[in-house]
Amino acid sequence: MEKLYLIVGSQDLYGEETLKEVARDADTMAEFLNGKLCDLVRVTPMPTVRNADEAEDVFLRVAADKECVGVIVWMHTFSPAKMWIRGLQMLKKPMLHLHTQANEKLPYETIDMDFMNLNQSAHGDREFGFICTRLNVKRQVAAGYYRHNAVTEKIRAFAEVAVALNFSKRMKVAMFGSNMRDVAVTDGDRVESEIRYGWNVNYYGIGDLAEIACSVSKSEIDAKMKEYEKKYDFATDDMHAVREQARYQIALERFVERERVSAFTDNFQDLHGLKQLPGLAVQDIMSKGIGFGAEGDYKTAALMAVLCKMAEKRKGATAFVEDYTYDLTSGDEKELASHMLEVSPTFAATKPKIEVHPLGIGGKEPPARLVFDGIEGDAVAVSMVDMGTHFRLVCAKIKLVKQTRLMPKLPVARIMWTLVPDFKTGAAAWIYAGGAHHAVVSTALNTDDIKLFASLTDTELVIIDENTRI
Ligand code: MN
């Protein structure tokens, strides 16, 4: 299981008894945090750090342990911060600076200088915070008594991001074909993506997938059809079309497993060897947390996989979607988001229907797809764009709303949302920021999660929320 190292700082000045107490308190804290985070990470207390050599040693251990996804650091006593410089210069993993105490309340009746010397994070954590800022160490600071819910929740959110970043660092992304011809925003610097986020993005011919699809057996397709029957309503008689999608999904799953990829893209302009654009196949596979980006959008595909990892232990939906069209009724503006086919059924408010309809573009057989109305609730829409010199994340708070009227002739799944703080501001801000027409929408994550991801990866971030003014 992945680990967070708990690193507690002190110094030699206070004597053996004080240091023993520091170590005991660190163990107690680790035990408490393990009770709260045991489904996610193991919090492992390290020996108390007293000097520069020990600081170097502990951060060497952090670097060498592949299972260690980040560190929680706390100064129980004062700890002169020049001793942390050499160690911190080696830190390449996420840090949470936990600004807390072993005690919640002051023992007013008994407090003396020994107590003050033992419990002085107000002093020691400021010294440590300065050197982190001076060294430009990206970190999360959580202040408050560590057993309080608000603090524990912040630590948990940090752990989720740390686990997701560790996953991101080793992630492989497959592009079937390139990105859609002439489209700007889905393109990007794949070398920089790998340097900054770890995404190893590689091209494959769609023929590679077509070849696997040819080898899928009838009985495998029968089994996949049974899965579909359990989850979805069949609103078509065209079983040939549905079975074709089952074949693609089996091929995709086999490919994902074989190549150990966590996200993939396809492109309707490059479907050689496939009879249909993968619709139902991609929708169902997305619901399992595999990242997807349409039209060769590798950035959104990879971002979806990372955000799904981050949200793995939470309730809610996280998936790729495209900004499509608006209802511009004054004061009641809404956005209708969807795609040609590929909308994840995790967004479904009711049991999705499998339908088969012709597709206007691509010149292929009518593909089977899931059709449904979307869920309601608070969400974020997150888009990653390549500015040439750096990546930028645009994160907008949105509110998913009920579809106000039926759209009986719309043959695709959709979700609807309102913008924050209002339509005119939210939409204009997104356009000014250069946000894409593809995004990852999540009802499980919030702007704080995205801020932390951006901060720990040193990515420029534009937040659009209730405080936004143009
Ligand atoms: Mn698109």
Side-chain angles (χ1 to χ4, degrees):
M1 187 182 219
E2 283 130 330
K3 290 183 277 190
L4 287 176
Y5 282 4
L6 175 63
I7 299 171
V8 178
S10 187
Q11 59 176 329
D12 273 325
L13 214 61
Y14 308 110
E16 268 313 296
E17 273 318 299
T18 300
L19 286 169
K20 273 184 196 156
E21 187 56 44
V22 168
R24 272 197 296 274
D25 289 342
D27 287 346
T28 305
M29 181 182 285
E31 198 181 321
F32 172 82
L33 292 177
N34 274 321
K36 297 288 180 184
L37 306 175
C38 56
D39 61 323
L40 197 60
V41 287
R42 172 115 201 115
V43 179
T44 310
M46 292 287 110
T48 308
V49 175
R50 297 170 298 178
N51 52 54
D53 285 340
E54 290 177 2
E56 185 180 16
D57 287 345
V58 80
F59 284 111
L60 276 169
R61 283 178 70 176
V62 168
D65 186 350
K66 266 183 146 179
E67 286 184 340
C68 171
V69 299
V71 295
I72 300 175
V73 187
W74 165 48
M75 298 302 119
H76 194 313
T77 68
F78 190 72
S79 180
K82 285 182 185 172
M83 76 178 228
W84 290 95
I85 292 173
R86 217 185 320 146
L88 284 174
Q89 281 171 332
M90 287 187 298
L91 179 64
K92 302 279 183 216
K93 294 182 182 179
M95 179 203 285
L96 175 84
H97 182 180
L98 181 55
H99 182 44
T100 191
Q101 291 183 163
N103 55 302
E104 180 187 21
K105 296 180 197 309
L106 276 181
Y108 290 98
E109 298 295 320
T110 57
I111 186 167
D112 55 12
M113 281 315 290
D114 284 347
F115 182 91
M116 287 243 286
N117 282 330
L118 174 61
N119 301 286
Q120 49 174 326
S121 63
H123 186 189
D125 274 336
R126 279 177 169 76
E127 170 79 355
F128 183 73
F130 161 72
I131 205 66
C132 290
T133 298
R134 175 72 196 265
L135 293 171
N136 197 22
V137 176
K138 303 294 174 195
R139 79 278 190 196
Q140 165 97 316
V141 180
Y145 187 52
Y146 72 95
R147 290 172 187 259
H148 289 170
N149 265 342
V151 177
T152 312
E153 274 164 27
K154 208 158 186 182
I155 297 169
R156 190 177 171 83
F158 167 80
E160 288 172 319
V161 175
V163 167
L165 285 176
N166 183 57
F167 164 79
S168 175
K169 207 182 280 181
R170 293 168 177 79
M171 195 168 89
K172 294 174 82 177
V173 182
M175 297 177 74
F176 291 112
S178 186
N179 73 315
M180 184 180 163
R181 288 190 281 276
D182 291 323
V183 174
V185 80
T186 52
D187 220 331
D189 181 341
R190 290 185 280 160
V191 175
E192 184 61 21
S193 298
E194 184 153 352
I195 292 170
R196 185 159 300 271
Y197 307 106
W199 304 340
N200 179 237
V201 186
N202 283 303
Y203 159 89
Y204 293 83
I206 191 71
D208 295 345
L209 186 66
E211 200 175 281
I212 306 174
C214 281
S215 71
V216 170
S217 71
K218 184 178 171 296
S219 63
E220 285 176 298
I221 295 175
D222 291 343
K224 186 61 83 184
M225 292 291 280
K226 286 217 165 64
E227 264 182 55
Y228 290 161
E229 277 162 29
K230 272 187 209 148
K231 291 194 274 190
Y232 309 127
D233 284 333
F234 280 69
T236 179
D237 296 326
D238 189 351
M239 288 306 134
H240 162 78
V242 183
R243 291 180 69 87
E244 189 66 12
Q245 292 286 333
R247 175 191 298 282
Y248 299 161
Q249 185 171 354
I250 294 159
L252 278 166
E253 285 170 345
R254 215 183 273 172
F255 179 88
V256 159
E257 171 122 6
R258 191 183 78 194
E259 301 296 326
R260 293 185 295 114
V261 304
S262 305
F264 69 97
T265 68
D266 64 12
N267 182 348
F268 70 92
Q269 289 170 327
D270 183 0
L271 293 175
H272 303 290
L274 301 188
K275 292 176 185 154
Q276 304 176 13
L277 174 65
L280 166 59
V282 164
Q283 291 177 286
D284 193 75
I285 210 169
M286 253 198 282
S287 73
K288 298 172 181 178
I290 302 290
F292 173 76
E295 290 111 30
D297 184 354
Y298 83 86
K299 298 195 299 304
T300 307
L303 187 64
M304 177 188 156
V306 173
L307 297 189
C308 281
K309 188 73 184 173
M310 212 184 281
E312 203 171 42
K313 307 286 181 184
R314 301 190 193 183
K315 287 197 178 73
T318 302
F320 158 87
V321 83
E322 175 169 275
D323 303 81
Y324 232 121
T325 188
Y326 294 129
D327 180 337
L328 289 179
T329 303
S330 183
D332 193 23
E333 293 91 345
K334 289 185 190 74
E335 175 165 342
L336 180 63
S338 184
H339 207 261
M340 286 160 76
L341 302 173
E342 312 92 329
V343 183
S344 170
T346 52
F347 286 126
T350 52
K351 197 173 185 186
K353 288 190 178 81
I354 297 179
E355 300 184 15
V356 178
H357 303 278
L359 198 62
I361 31 183
K364 291 277 169 174
E365 280 182 7
R369 81 287 304 272
L370 297 170
V371 180
F372 54 83
D373 290 347
I375 50 171
E376 298 168 62
D378 291 329
V380 285
V382 191
S383 164
M384 179 180 277
V385 294
D386 185 342
M387 304 302 291
T389 49
H390 60 280
F391 289 107
R392 171 180 290 174
L393 284 164
V394 183
C395 173
K397 265 192 182 177
I398 56 173
K399 196 174 191 63
L400 302 191
V401 295
K402 200 174 157 66
Q403 190 177 304
T404 39
R405 298 192 40 196
L406 294 178
M407 294 179 248
K409 297 202 165 171
L410 188 66
V412 286
R414 57 272 182 166
I415 55 180
M416 288 190 87
W417 68 67
T418 55
L419 276 61
V420 174
D422 55 71
F423 176 79
K424 287 185 176 73
T425 310
W430 185 277
I431 303 277
Y432 275 125
H437 46 77
H438 284 173
V440 181
V441 165
S442 176
T443 61
L445 301 171
N446 56 53
T447 51
D448 284 344
D449 299 311
I450 306 304
K451 273 184 203 168
L452 186 54
F453 172 78
S455 156
L456 294 175
T457 55
D458 204 8
T459 307
E460 185 177 73
L461 172 66
V462 177
I463 293 261
I464 302 168
D465 63 9
E466 45 282 289
N467 302 317
T468 296
R469 293 182 317 167
I470 297 300

mmCIF file of all heavy atoms in Angstrom, residues 36 92 118 191 205 232 291 364 367 393 453:
data_model
loop_
_atom_site.group_PDB
_atom_site.id
_atom_site.type_symbol
_atom_site.label_atom_id
_atom_site.label_comp_id
_atom_site.label_asym_id
_atom_site.label_seq_id
_atom_site.Cartn_x
_atom_site.Cartn_y
_atom_site.Cartn_z
ATOM 1 N N LYS A 36 -7.912 7.102 10.201
ATOM 2 C CA LYS A 36 -8.727 7.922 9.285
ATOM 3 C C LYS A 36 -8.421 7.656 7.806
ATOM 4 O O LYS A 36 -9.255 7.927 6.940
ATOM 5 C CB LYS A 36 -8.472 9.415 9.572
ATOM 6 C CG LYS A 36 -8.886 9.868 10.957
ATOM 7 C CD LYS A 36 -10.409 9.926 11.060
ATOM 8 C CE LYS A 36 -10.842 10.387 12.439
ATOM 9 N NZ LYS A 36 -12.306 10.371 12.596
ATOM 10 N N LYS A 92 11.129 15.669 -3.911
ATOM 11 C CA LYS A 92 10.432 15.757 -5.200
ATOM 12 C C LYS A 92 9.004 15.213 -5.066
ATOM 13 O O LYS A 92 8.351 14.961 -6.061
ATOM 14 C CB LYS A 92 11.170 14.931 -6.264
ATOM 15 C CG LYS A 92 12.610 15.333 -6.492
ATOM 16 C CD LYS A 92 12.724 16.546 -7.394
ATOM 17 C CE LYS A 92 14.175 16.898 -7.674
ATOM 18 N NZ LYS A 92 14.387 18.347 -7.760
ATOM 19 N N LEU A 118 8.545 22.012 24.938
ATOM 20 C CA LEU A 118 8.150 20.778 24.250
ATOM 21 C C LEU A 118 7.121 21.050 23.147
ATOM 22 O O LEU A 118 7.170 20.449 22.073
ATOM 23 C CB LEU A 118 7.571 19.783 25.271
ATOM 24 C CG LEU A 118 6.977 18.485 24.717
ATOM 25 C CD1 LEU A 118 8.043 17.663 23.975
ATOM 26 C CD2 LEU A 118 6.365 17.651 25.836
ATOM 27 N N VAL A 191 6.178 15.911 -24.770
ATOM 28 C CA VAL A 191 7.415 15.782 -23.980
ATOM 29 C C VAL A 191 7.257 16.536 -22.662
ATOM 30 O O VAL A 191 7.560 16.028 -21.581
ATOM 31 C CB VAL A 191 8.638 16.307 -24.772
ATOM 32 C CG1 VAL A 191 9.890 16.273 -23.905
ATOM 33 C CG2 VAL A 191 8.854 15.471 -26.031
ATOM 34 N N GLY A 205 -1.601 2.918 -34.208
ATOM 35 C CA GLY A 205 -2.523 2.908 -35.334
ATOM 36 C C GLY A 205 -3.853 2.334 -34.891
ATOM 37 O O GLY A 205 -3.878 1.399 -34.074
ATOM 38 N N TYR A 232 -28.138 -1.600 -18.613
ATOM 39 C CA TYR A 232 -28.779 -0.659 -19.541
ATOM 40 C C TYR A 232 -30.076 -1.227 -20.108
ATOM 41 O O TYR A 232 -30.264 -2.439 -20.149
ATOM 42 C CB TYR A 232 -27.819 -0.332 -20.696
ATOM 43 C CG TYR A 232 -26.432 0.093 -20.240
ATOM 44 C CD1 TYR A 232 -25.291 -0.543 -20.736
ATOM 45 C CD2 TYR A 232 -26.266 1.123 -19.308
ATOM 46 C CE1 TYR A 232 -24.013 -0.144 -20.326
ATOM 47 C CE2 TYR A 232 -24.991 1.513 -18.890
ATOM 48 C CZ TYR A 232 -23.869 0.873 -19.396
ATOM 49 O OH TYR A 232 -22.620 1.248 -18.990
ATOM 50 N N GLY A 291 -9.317 6.883 -18.514
ATOM 51 C CA GLY A 291 -9.416 8.222 -19.099
ATOM 52 C C GLY A 291 -9.685 8.163 -20.590
ATOM 53 O O GLY A 291 -9.187 7.276 -21.286
ATOM 54 N N LYS A 364 -19.577 6.219 -41.461
ATOM 55 C CA LYS A 364 -19.512 4.826 -41.008
ATOM 56 C C LYS A 364 -20.922 4.314 -40.715
ATOM 57 O O LYS A 364 -21.900 5.047 -40.811
ATOM 58 C CB LYS A 364 -18.639 4.749 -39.752
ATOM 59 C CG LYS A 364 -17.164 5.008 -40.019
ATOM 60 C CD LYS A 364 -16.494 3.731 -40.513
ATOM 61 C CE LYS A 364 -15.087 4.007 -41.041
ATOM 62 N NZ LYS A 364 -14.376 2.783 -41.391
ATOM 63 N N PRO A 367 -23.752 3.939 -35.219
ATOM 64 C CA PRO A 367 -23.180 3.331 -34.012
ATOM 65 C C PRO A 367 -24.181 3.235 -32.859
ATOM 66 O O PRO A 367 -25.044 4.097 -32.697
ATOM 67 C CB PRO A 367 -22.050 4.305 -33.643
ATOM 68 C CG PRO A 367 -22.489 5.625 -34.209
ATOM 69 C CD PRO A 367 -23.438 5.373 -35.344
ATOM 70 N N LEU A 393 -4.264 25.342 -16.368
ATOM 71 C CA LEU A 393 -5.528 24.704 -16.007
ATOM 72 C C LEU A 393 -6.577 25.785 -15.825
ATOM 73 O O LEU A 393 -6.301 26.823 -15.208
ATOM 74 C CB LEU A 393 -5.388 23.931 -14.695
ATOM 75 C CG LEU A 393 -4.665 22.589 -14.749
ATOM 76 C CD1 LEU A 393 -4.271 22.144 -13.348
ATOM 77 C CD2 LEU A 393 -5.536 21.530 -15.415
ATOM 78 N N PHE A 453 -3.699 20.194 -6.770
ATOM 79 C CA PHE A 453 -3.060 19.519 -7.902
ATOM 80 C C PHE A 453 -2.198 20.515 -8.683
ATOM 81 O O PHE A 453 -1.052 20.232 -9.035
ATOM 82 C CB PHE A 453 -4.120 18.892 -8.818
ATOM 83 C CG PHE A 453 -3.571 18.342 -10.103
ATOM 84 C CD1 PHE A 453 -2.921 17.114 -10.128
ATOM 85 C CD2 PHE A 453 -3.684 19.057 -11.292
ATOM 86 C CE1 PHE A 453 -2.399 16.613 -11.317
ATOM 87 C CE2 PHE A 453 -3.160 18.560 -12.481
ATOM 88 C CZ PHE A 453 -2.519 17.338 -12.497
#
